[in-house]
Amino acid sequence: MIFDIVQVGDPVLRRPARPVQAEELATSFVQELIVSMRQTMYDAPGVGLAAPQVGEGLQIVVVEDDGPYLETMSAPRRAELRRGPLPFAALINPVLEPVGDETDEFFEGCLSVAGYSGAVRRHRAVRVEAMDARGEPVTLELEGWPARILQHELDHLAGVLYIDRMDPRTFTTNENFGRWWKARPVDEIKQGLGSGGSGGDKAD
Ligand code: ZN
């Protein structure tokens, strides 16, 4: 089933999600939740979805960035964003740690803050440990855009939204982003929006 995606202002997006117990994972409720989250992510469409975004305060995320959108993006743009394919994964009780201290700042949006984007600085590489839908341990080592997707989704499990982390002067409707800023370097966009300083690639 396709869920309605909860929008910012709903308290479920601001409460830390609780871990899924081992015996709970096998229940039809949780298994069907995972299937429906995957369908809802494809329907949106999006590249990740966390359980609080469909109203469930559980530590479950689904991710996938391997679809038609990735294929239509130009090679230079993919390279700039370090946007490589991220195969589908359902992650239960995921834990993330940064790898190295490099960071990147790019615009991102959220299905729960529909219609807007903002520039967010995130770790370039991360390691994620979790269980899959069958309860088997999984470890993902990710860099670039896939690492950004995981950081965004795991933030949801802590009640954190990208708007908490963004450079607030860069907040924009997607319509105005397309009209004024599309395909420009983040540093140039930040200057145009009156945000000085720490754009680009430098670690902070
Ligand atoms: Zn989101």
Side-chain angles (χ1 to χ4, degrees), residues 102-125:
E102 286 185 293
T103 63
D104 294 296
E105 185 174 32
F106 290 115
F107 277 78
E108 62 183 66
C110 178
L111 296 172
S112 294
V113 190
Y116 294 89
S117 303
V120 183
R121 180 167 292 284
R122 295 202 186 267
H123 300 289
R124 180 175 291 178

Side-chain angles (χ1 to χ4, degrees), residues 53 109-112 152-153 156:
Q53 294 182 274
C110 178
L111 296 172
S112 294
H152 179 115
E153 298 310 328
H156 276 299

Side-chain angles (χ1 to χ4, degrees), residues 3-8 40-41 44 49 53-55 110-113:
F3 288 112
D4 287 333
I5 295 175
V6 172
Q7 293 300 304
V8 62
T40 302
M41 173 175 69
L49 195 66
Q53 294 182 274
V54 299
C110 178
L111 296 172
S112 294
V113 190

Side-chain angles (χ1 to χ4, degrees), residues 17-25 30 34 57-61 90-96 128-133 135 138 154 157:
R18 71 166 175 83
V20 178
Q21 307 303 318
E23 59 275 18
E24 193 180 13
L25 181 56
V30 170
I34 293 167
L58 293 169
Q59 291 182 16
I60 302 172
V61 304
L91 301 171
I92 319 300
N93 304 341
V95 177
L96 178 148
V128 177
E129 305 215 7
M131 286 188 295
D132 67 14
V138 286
L154 267 73
L157 302 183

